[in-house]
PDB file of all heavy atoms in Angstrom:
ATOM      1  N   GLY A  11     -12.289  -8.766  22.626  1.00 74.00           N
ATOM      2  CA  GLY A  11     -11.524  -7.626  23.099  1.00 74.00           C
ATOM      3  C   GLY A  11     -11.250  -6.675  21.958  1.00 74.00           C
ATOM      4  O   GLY A  11     -11.116  -7.086  20.804  1.00 74.00           O
ATOM      5  N   LEU A  12     -11.199  -5.418  22.268  1.00 72.00           N
ATOM      6  CA  LEU A  12     -10.970  -4.401  21.254  1.00 72.00           C
ATOM      7  C   LEU A  12      -9.937  -3.420  21.798  1.00 72.00           C
ATOM      8  O   LEU A  12     -10.116  -2.853  22.879  1.00 72.00           O
ATOM      9  CB  LEU A  12     -12.284  -3.688  20.939  1.00 72.00           C
ATOM     10  CG  LEU A  12     -12.304  -2.721  19.787  1.00 72.00           C
ATOM     11  CD1 LEU A  12     -11.998  -3.442  18.486  1.00 72.00           C
ATOM     12  CD2 LEU A  12     -13.675  -2.078  19.675  1.00 72.00           C
ATOM     13  N   HIS A  13      -8.864  -3.230  21.068  1.00 75.00           N
ATOM     14  CA  HIS A  13      -7.811  -2.319  21.489  1.00 75.00           C
ATOM     15  C   HIS A  13      -7.990  -1.015  20.711  1.00 75.00           C
ATOM     16  O   HIS A  13      -7.579  -0.891  19.556  1.00 75.00           O
ATOM     17  CB  HIS A  13      -6.433  -2.943  21.222  1.00 75.00           C
ATOM     18  CG  HIS A  13      -5.352  -2.293  21.990  1.00 75.00           C
ATOM     19  ND1 HIS A  13      -4.518  -1.372  21.429  1.00 75.00           N
ATOM     20  CD2 HIS A  13      -4.972  -2.413  23.284  1.00 75.00           C
ATOM     21  CE1 HIS A  13      -3.660  -0.956  22.325  1.00 75.00           C
ATOM     22  NE2 HIS A  13      -3.909  -1.577  23.466  1.00 75.00           N
ATOM     23  N   LEU A  14      -8.612  -0.037  21.338  1.00 77.00           N
ATOM     24  CA  LEU A  14      -8.977   1.201  20.648  1.00 77.00           C
ATOM     25  C   LEU A  14      -7.776   2.023  20.199  1.00 77.00           C
ATOM     26  O   LEU A  14      -7.851   2.707  19.170  1.00 77.00           O
ATOM     27  CB  LEU A  14      -9.883   2.056  21.547  1.00 77.00           C
ATOM     28  CG  LEU A  14     -11.288   1.482  21.765  1.00 77.00           C
ATOM     29  CD1 LEU A  14     -12.073   2.362  22.723  1.00 77.00           C
ATOM     30  CD2 LEU A  14     -12.026   1.370  20.451  1.00 77.00           C
ATOM     31  N   GLU A  15      -6.676   1.965  20.928  1.00 79.00           N
ATOM     32  CA  GLU A  15      -5.495   2.735  20.515  1.00 79.00           C
ATOM     33  C   GLU A  15      -5.027   2.343  19.120  1.00 79.00           C
ATOM     34  O   GLU A  15      -4.675   3.197  18.312  1.00 79.00           O
ATOM     35  CB  GLU A  15      -4.352   2.537  21.510  1.00 79.00           C
ATOM     36  CG  GLU A  15      -4.427   3.444  22.711  1.00 79.00           C
ATOM     37  CD  GLU A  15      -3.206   3.297  23.605  1.00 79.00           C
ATOM     38  OE1 GLU A  15      -2.105   3.042  23.077  1.00 79.00           O
ATOM     39  OE2 GLU A  15      -3.374   3.436  24.818  1.00 79.00           O
ATOM     40  N   ASP A  16      -5.022   1.038  18.841  1.00 77.00           N
ATOM     41  CA  ASP A  16      -4.610   0.578  17.514  1.00 77.00           C
ATOM     42  C   ASP A  16      -5.544   1.086  16.431  1.00 77.00           C
ATOM     43  O   ASP A  16      -5.114   1.495  15.345  1.00 77.00           O
ATOM     44  CB  ASP A  16      -4.541  -0.953  17.464  1.00 77.00           C
ATOM     45  CG  ASP A  16      -3.366  -1.513  18.247  1.00 77.00           C
ATOM     46  OD1 ASP A  16      -2.432  -0.737  18.545  1.00 77.00           O
ATOM     47  OD2 ASP A  16      -3.389  -2.716  18.556  1.00 77.00           O
ATOM     48  N   LEU A  17      -6.849   1.066  16.712  1.00 75.00           N
ATOM     49  CA  LEU A  17      -7.820   1.555  15.722  1.00 75.00           C
ATOM     50  C   LEU A  17      -7.665   3.052  15.478  1.00 75.00           C
ATOM     51  O   LEU A  17      -7.726   3.519  14.342  1.00 75.00           O
ATOM     52  CB  LEU A  17      -9.245   1.242  16.188  1.00 75.00           C
ATOM     53  CG  LEU A  17      -9.653  -0.219  16.169  1.00 75.00           C
ATOM     54  CD1 LEU A  17     -11.037  -0.388  16.766  1.00 75.00           C
ATOM     55  CD2 LEU A  17      -9.625  -0.761  14.749  1.00 75.00           C
ATOM     56  N   VAL A  18      -7.455   3.804  16.519  1.00 78.00           N
ATOM     57  CA  VAL A  18      -7.286   5.248  16.387  1.00 78.00           C
ATOM     58  C   VAL A  18      -6.006   5.551  15.606  1.00 78.00           C
ATOM     59  O   VAL A  18      -5.993   6.408  14.714  1.00 78.00           O
ATOM     60  CB  VAL A  18      -7.275   5.933  17.774  1.00 78.00           C
ATOM     61  CG1 VAL A  18      -6.860   7.401  17.655  1.00 78.00           C
ATOM     62  CG2 VAL A  18      -8.645   5.822  18.426  1.00 78.00           C
ATOM     63  N   ASP A  19      -4.913   4.841  15.933  1.00 77.00           N
ATOM     64  CA  ASP A  19      -3.650   5.058  15.215  1.00 77.00           C
ATOM     65  C   ASP A  19      -3.811   4.809  13.725  1.00 77.00           C
ATOM     66  O   ASP A  19      -3.310   5.565  12.893  1.00 77.00           O
ATOM     67  CB  ASP A  19      -2.539   4.160  15.769  1.00 77.00           C
ATOM     68  CG  ASP A  19      -2.086   4.596  17.159  1.00 77.00           C
ATOM     69  OD1 ASP A  19      -2.395   5.732  17.556  1.00 77.00           O
ATOM     70  OD2 ASP A  19      -1.430   3.780  17.836  1.00 77.00           O
ATOM     71  N   ARG A  20      -4.501   3.745  13.381  1.00 75.00           N
ATOM     72  CA  ARG A  20      -4.711   3.429  11.960  1.00 75.00           C
ATOM     73  C   ARG A  20      -5.623   4.443  11.287  1.00 75.00           C
ATOM     74  O   ARG A  20      -5.429   4.799  10.129  1.00 75.00           O
ATOM     75  CB  ARG A  20      -5.274   2.033  11.795  1.00 75.00           C
ATOM     76  CG  ARG A  20      -4.255   0.960  12.086  1.00 75.00           C
ATOM     77  CD  ARG A  20      -4.878  -0.418  11.923  1.00 75.00           C
ATOM     78  NE  ARG A  20      -3.956  -1.438  12.367  1.00 75.00           N
ATOM     79  CZ  ARG A  20      -3.330  -2.259  11.554  1.00 75.00           C
ATOM     80  NH1 ARG A  20      -3.548  -2.183  10.262  1.00 75.00           N
ATOM     81  NH2 ARG A  20      -2.505  -3.166  12.022  1.00 75.00           N
ATOM     82  N   ALA A  21      -6.633   4.901  11.995  1.00 77.00           N
ATOM     83  CA  ALA A  21      -7.571   5.866  11.418  1.00 77.00           C
ATOM     84  C   ALA A  21      -6.897   7.209  11.162  1.00 77.00           C
ATOM     85  O   ALA A  21      -7.228   7.908  10.199  1.00 77.00           O
ATOM     86  CB  ALA A  21      -8.768   6.037  12.334  1.00 77.00           C
ATOM     87  N   LEU A  22      -5.931   7.574  12.001  1.00 79.00           N
ATOM     88  CA  LEU A  22      -5.262   8.860  11.870  1.00 79.00           C
ATOM     89  C   LEU A  22      -4.037   8.817  10.967  1.00 79.00           C
ATOM     90  O   LEU A  22      -3.472   9.859  10.644  1.00 79.00           O
ATOM     91  CB  LEU A  22      -4.856   9.378  13.259  1.00 79.00           C
ATOM     92  CG  LEU A  22      -6.021   9.677  14.206  1.00 79.00           C
ATOM     93  CD1 LEU A  22      -5.494  10.098  15.562  1.00 79.00           C
ATOM     94  CD2 LEU A  22      -6.948  10.739  13.627  1.00 79.00           C
ATOM     95  N   ALA A  23      -3.626   7.647  10.558  1.00 77.00           N
ATOM     96  CA  ALA A  23      -2.440   7.518   9.707  1.00 77.00           C
ATOM     97  C   ALA A  23      -2.695   8.154   8.348  1.00 77.00           C
ATOM     98  O   ALA A  23      -3.781   8.060   7.783  1.00 77.00           O
ATOM     99  CB  ALA A  23      -2.061   6.053   9.537  1.00 77.00           C
ATOM    100  N   THR A  24      -1.680   8.802   7.819  1.00 78.00           N
ATOM    101  CA  THR A  24      -1.781   9.433   6.506  1.00 78.00           C
ATOM    102  C   THR A  24      -1.608   8.372   5.431  1.00 78.00           C
ATOM    103  O   THR A  24      -0.615   7.644   5.440  1.00 78.00           O
ATOM    104  CB  THR A  24      -0.687  10.498   6.345  1.00 78.00           C
ATOM    105  OG1 THR A  24      -0.802  11.441   7.409  1.00 78.00           O
ATOM    106  CG2 THR A  24      -0.806  11.209   5.012  1.00 78.00           C
ATOM    107  N   PRO A  25      -2.569   8.265   4.522  1.00 77.00           N
ATOM    108  CA  PRO A  25      -2.419   7.266   3.458  1.00 77.00           C
ATOM    109  C   PRO A  25      -1.223   7.611   2.562  1.00 77.00           C
ATOM    110  O   PRO A  25      -0.934   8.777   2.313  1.00 77.00           O
ATOM    111  CB  PRO A  25      -3.725   7.350   2.671  1.00 77.00           C
ATOM    112  CG  PRO A  25      -4.507   8.461   3.246  1.00 77.00           C
ATOM    113  CD  PRO A  25      -3.790   9.016   4.431  1.00 77.00           C
ATOM    114  N   VAL A  26      -0.542   6.581   2.106  1.00 77.00           N
ATOM    115  CA  VAL A  26       0.612   6.766   1.234  1.00 77.00           C
ATOM    116  C   VAL A  26       0.204   6.357  -0.179  1.00 77.00           C
ATOM    117  O   VAL A  26      -0.307   5.262  -0.397  1.00 77.00           O
ATOM    118  CB  VAL A  26       1.798   5.898   1.721  1.00 77.00           C
ATOM    119  CG1 VAL A  26       2.975   6.046   0.779  1.00 77.00           C
ATOM    120  CG2 VAL A  26       2.178   6.282   3.142  1.00 77.00           C
ATOM    121  N   PHE A  27       0.427   7.262  -1.101  1.00 80.00           N
ATOM    122  CA  PHE A  27       0.098   6.999  -2.491  1.00 80.00           C
ATOM    123  C   PHE A  27       1.364   7.055  -3.325  1.00 80.00           C
ATOM    124  O   PHE A  27       2.274   7.821  -3.040  1.00 80.00           O
ATOM    125  CB  PHE A  27      -0.897   8.041  -3.023  1.00 80.00           C
ATOM    126  CG  PHE A  27      -2.217   8.017  -2.318  1.00 80.00           C
ATOM    127  CD1 PHE A  27      -2.491   8.898  -1.292  1.00 80.00           C
ATOM    128  CD2 PHE A  27      -3.178   7.093  -2.675  1.00 80.00           C
ATOM    129  CE1 PHE A  27      -3.706   8.870  -0.634  1.00 80.00           C
ATOM    130  CE2 PHE A  27      -4.397   7.057  -2.024  1.00 80.00           C
ATOM    131  CZ  PHE A  27      -4.660   7.955  -0.999  1.00 80.00           C
ATOM    132  N   SER A  28       1.415   6.256  -4.350  1.00 78.00           N
ATOM    133  CA  SER A  28       2.527   6.339  -5.285  1.00 78.00           C
ATOM    134  C   SER A  28       1.955   6.496  -6.689  1.00 78.00           C
ATOM    135  O   SER A  28       0.870   6.022  -6.991  1.00 78.00           O
ATOM    136  CB  SER A  28       3.417   5.097  -5.194  1.00 78.00           C
ATOM    137  OG  SER A  28       2.675   3.949  -5.468  1.00 78.00           O
ATOM    138  N   ALA A  29       2.705   7.176  -7.505  1.00 81.00           N
ATOM    139  CA  ALA A  29       2.254   7.427  -8.873  1.00 81.00           C
ATOM    140  C   ALA A  29       2.181   6.123  -9.656  1.00 81.00           C
ATOM    141  O   ALA A  29       2.921   5.176  -9.381  1.00 81.00           O
ATOM    142  CB  ALA A  29       3.210   8.393  -9.554  1.00 81.00           C
ATOM    143  N   LEU A  30       1.299   6.083 -10.623  1.00 86.00           N
ATOM    144  CA  LEU A  30       1.229   4.932 -11.508  1.00 86.00           C
ATOM    145  C   LEU A  30       2.525   4.850 -12.308  1.00 86.00           C
ATOM    146  O   LEU A  30       3.113   5.878 -12.659  1.00 86.00           O
ATOM    147  CB  LEU A  30       0.045   5.054 -12.460  1.00 86.00           C
ATOM    148  CG  LEU A  30      -1.330   4.938 -11.814  1.00 86.00           C
ATOM    149  CD1 LEU A  30      -2.428   5.239 -12.835  1.00 86.00           C
ATOM    150  CD2 LEU A  30      -1.523   3.557 -11.228  1.00 86.00           C
ATOM    151  N   PRO A  31       2.969   3.640 -12.609  1.00 86.00           N
ATOM    152  CA  PRO A  31       4.216   3.495 -13.373  1.00 86.00           C
ATOM    153  C   PRO A  31       4.100   4.148 -14.753  1.00 86.00           C
ATOM    154  O   PRO A  31       3.065   4.073 -15.405  1.00 86.00           O
ATOM    155  CB  PRO A  31       4.385   1.983 -13.508  1.00 86.00           C
ATOM    156  CG  PRO A  31       3.467   1.381 -12.529  1.00 86.00           C
ATOM    157  CD  PRO A  31       2.388   2.363 -12.246  1.00 86.00           C
ATOM    158  N   ARG A  32       5.167   4.770 -15.149  1.00 91.00           N
ATOM    159  CA  ARG A  32       5.187   5.447 -16.442  1.00 91.00           C
ATOM    160  C   ARG A  32       5.536   4.484 -17.579  1.00 91.00           C
ATOM    161  O   ARG A  32       5.129   4.669 -18.718  1.00 91.00           O
ATOM    162  CB  ARG A  32       6.213   6.574 -16.369  1.00 91.00           C
ATOM    163  CG  ARG A  32       6.248   7.421 -17.579  1.00 91.00           C
ATOM    164  CD  ARG A  32       7.201   8.577 -17.390  1.00 91.00           C
ATOM    165  NE  ARG A  32       7.059   9.463 -18.510  1.00 91.00           N
ATOM    166  CZ  ARG A  32       7.284  10.741 -18.487  1.00 91.00           C
ATOM    167  NH1 ARG A  32       7.687  11.293 -17.376  1.00 91.00           N
ATOM    168  NH2 ARG A  32       7.137  11.464 -19.558  1.00 91.00           N
ATOM    169  N   TYR A  33       6.337   3.468 -17.271  1.00 93.00           N
ATOM    170  CA  TYR A  33       6.804   2.527 -18.288  1.00 93.00           C
ATOM    171  C   TYR A  33       6.204   1.149 -18.037  1.00 93.00           C
ATOM    172  O   TYR A  33       5.970   0.769 -16.888  1.00 93.00           O
ATOM    173  CB  TYR A  33       8.332   2.474 -18.282  1.00 93.00           C
ATOM    174  CG  TYR A  33       8.931   3.824 -18.571  1.00 93.00           C
ATOM    175  CD1 TYR A  33       9.437   4.604 -17.544  1.00 93.00           C
ATOM    176  CD2 TYR A  33       8.939   4.336 -19.858  1.00 93.00           C
ATOM    177  CE1 TYR A  33       9.961   5.863 -17.796  1.00 93.00           C
ATOM    178  CE2 TYR A  33       9.461   5.600 -20.118  1.00 93.00           C
ATOM    179  CZ  TYR A  33       9.969   6.354 -19.081  1.00 93.00           C
ATOM    180  OH  TYR A  33      10.474   7.599 -19.341  1.00 93.00           O
ATOM    181  N   PRO A  34       5.973   0.390 -19.096  1.00 94.00           N
ATOM    182  CA  PRO A  34       5.312  -0.912 -18.946  1.00 94.00           C
ATOM    183  C   PRO A  34       6.219  -1.960 -18.295  1.00 94.00           C
ATOM    184  O   PRO A  34       7.446  -1.862 -18.357  1.00 94.00           O
ATOM    185  CB  PRO A  34       4.985  -1.314 -20.388  1.00 94.00           C
ATOM    186  CG  PRO A  34       6.027  -0.625 -21.207  1.00 94.00           C
ATOM    187  CD  PRO A  34       6.311   0.673 -20.493  1.00 94.00           C
ATOM    188  N   ASP A  35       5.577  -2.926 -17.676  1.00 95.00           N
ATOM    189  CA  ASP A  35       6.346  -4.045 -17.133  1.00 95.00           C
ATOM    190  C   ASP A  35       6.341  -5.197 -18.130  1.00 95.00           C
ATOM    191  O   ASP A  35       5.565  -5.207 -19.087  1.00 95.00           O
ATOM    192  CB  ASP A  35       5.816  -4.493 -15.770  1.00 95.00           C
ATOM    193  CG  ASP A  35       4.422  -5.101 -15.835  1.00 95.00           C
ATOM    194  OD1 ASP A  35       3.769  -5.045 -16.894  1.00 95.00           O
ATOM    195  OD2 ASP A  35       3.971  -5.630 -14.816  1.00 95.00           O
ATOM    196  N   VAL A  36       7.243  -6.127 -17.912  1.00 96.00           N
ATOM    197  CA  VAL A  36       7.365  -7.314 -18.752  1.00 96.00           C
ATOM    198  C   VAL A  36       7.373  -8.505 -17.812  1.00 96.00           C
ATOM    199  O   VAL A  36       8.098  -8.505 -16.820  1.00 96.00           O
ATOM    200  CB  VAL A  36       8.676  -7.292 -19.575  1.00 96.00           C
ATOM    201  CG1 VAL A  36       8.811  -8.539 -20.413  1.00 96.00           C
ATOM    202  CG2 VAL A  36       8.751  -6.045 -20.440  1.00 96.00           C
ATOM    203  N   THR A  37       6.554  -9.508 -18.096  1.00 97.00           N
ATOM    204  CA  THR A  37       6.539 -10.694 -17.236  1.00 97.00           C
ATOM    205  C   THR A  37       7.123 -11.889 -17.970  1.00 97.00           C
ATOM    206  O   THR A  37       6.999 -12.010 -19.196  1.00 97.00           O
ATOM    207  CB  THR A  37       5.115 -11.050 -16.759  1.00 97.00           C
ATOM    208  OG1 THR A  37       4.285 -11.285 -17.895  1.00 97.00           O
ATOM    209  CG2 THR A  37       4.527  -9.951 -15.914  1.00 97.00           C
ATOM    210  N   ARG A  38       7.764 -12.724 -17.200  1.00 96.00           N
ATOM    211  CA  ARG A  38       8.308 -13.988 -17.695  1.00 96.00           C
ATOM    212  C   ARG A  38       7.959 -15.057 -16.667  1.00 96.00           C
ATOM    213  O   ARG A  38       8.087 -14.830 -15.462  1.00 96.00           O
ATOM    214  CB  ARG A  38       9.831 -13.934 -17.846  1.00 96.00           C
ATOM    215  CG  ARG A  38      10.346 -13.002 -18.897  1.00 96.00           C
ATOM    216  CD  ARG A  38      10.123 -13.590 -20.292  1.00 96.00           C
ATOM    217  NE  ARG A  38      10.717 -12.769 -21.318  1.00 96.00           N
ATOM    218  CZ  ARG A  38      10.110 -11.761 -21.911  1.00 96.00           C
ATOM    219  NH1 ARG A  38       8.901 -11.420 -21.565  1.00 96.00           N
ATOM    220  NH2 ARG A  38      10.717 -11.066 -22.861  1.00 96.00           N
ATOM    221  N   ASP A  39       7.530 -16.201 -17.142  1.00 97.00           N
ATOM    222  CA  ASP A  39       7.232 -17.340 -16.286  1.00 97.00           C
ATOM    223  C   ASP A  39       8.221 -18.458 -16.563  1.00 97.00           C
ATOM    224  O   ASP A  39       8.676 -18.620 -17.696  1.00 97.00           O
ATOM    225  CB  ASP A  39       5.822 -17.879 -16.549  1.00 97.00           C
ATOM    226  CG  ASP A  39       4.725 -16.908 -16.146  1.00 97.00           C
ATOM    227  OD1 ASP A  39       5.023 -15.941 -15.417  1.00 97.00           O
ATOM    228  OD2 ASP A  39       3.572 -17.110 -16.557  1.00 97.00           O
ATOM    229  N   VAL A  40       8.519 -19.225 -15.532  1.00 97.00           N
ATOM    230  CA  VAL A  40       9.351 -20.407 -15.685  1.00 97.00           C
ATOM    231  C   VAL A  40       8.904 -21.415 -14.634  1.00 97.00           C
ATOM    232  O   VAL A  40       8.515 -21.044 -13.529  1.00 97.00           O
ATOM    233  CB  VAL A  40      10.858 -20.086 -15.556  1.00 97.00           C
ATOM    234  CG1 VAL A  40      11.227 -19.653 -14.158  1.00 97.00           C
ATOM    235  CG2 VAL A  40      11.707 -21.256 -15.993  1.00 97.00           C
ATOM    236  N   ALA A  41       8.923 -22.686 -14.998  1.00 97.00           N
ATOM    237  CA  ALA A  41       8.646 -23.754 -14.049  1.00 97.00           C
ATOM    238  C   ALA A  41       9.931 -24.542 -13.846  1.00 97.00           C
ATOM    239  O   ALA A  41      10.569 -24.964 -14.811  1.00 97.00           O
ATOM    240  CB  ALA A  41       7.538 -24.670 -14.566  1.00 97.00           C
TER     241      ALA A  41
END
């Protein structure tokens, strides 16, 4: 089965973009 309304809605959706981070991240691991 194929629900075309869902495909059309997704195809017409405006992509959302965000700027790349300006400042670096820091990672920490813990177990």
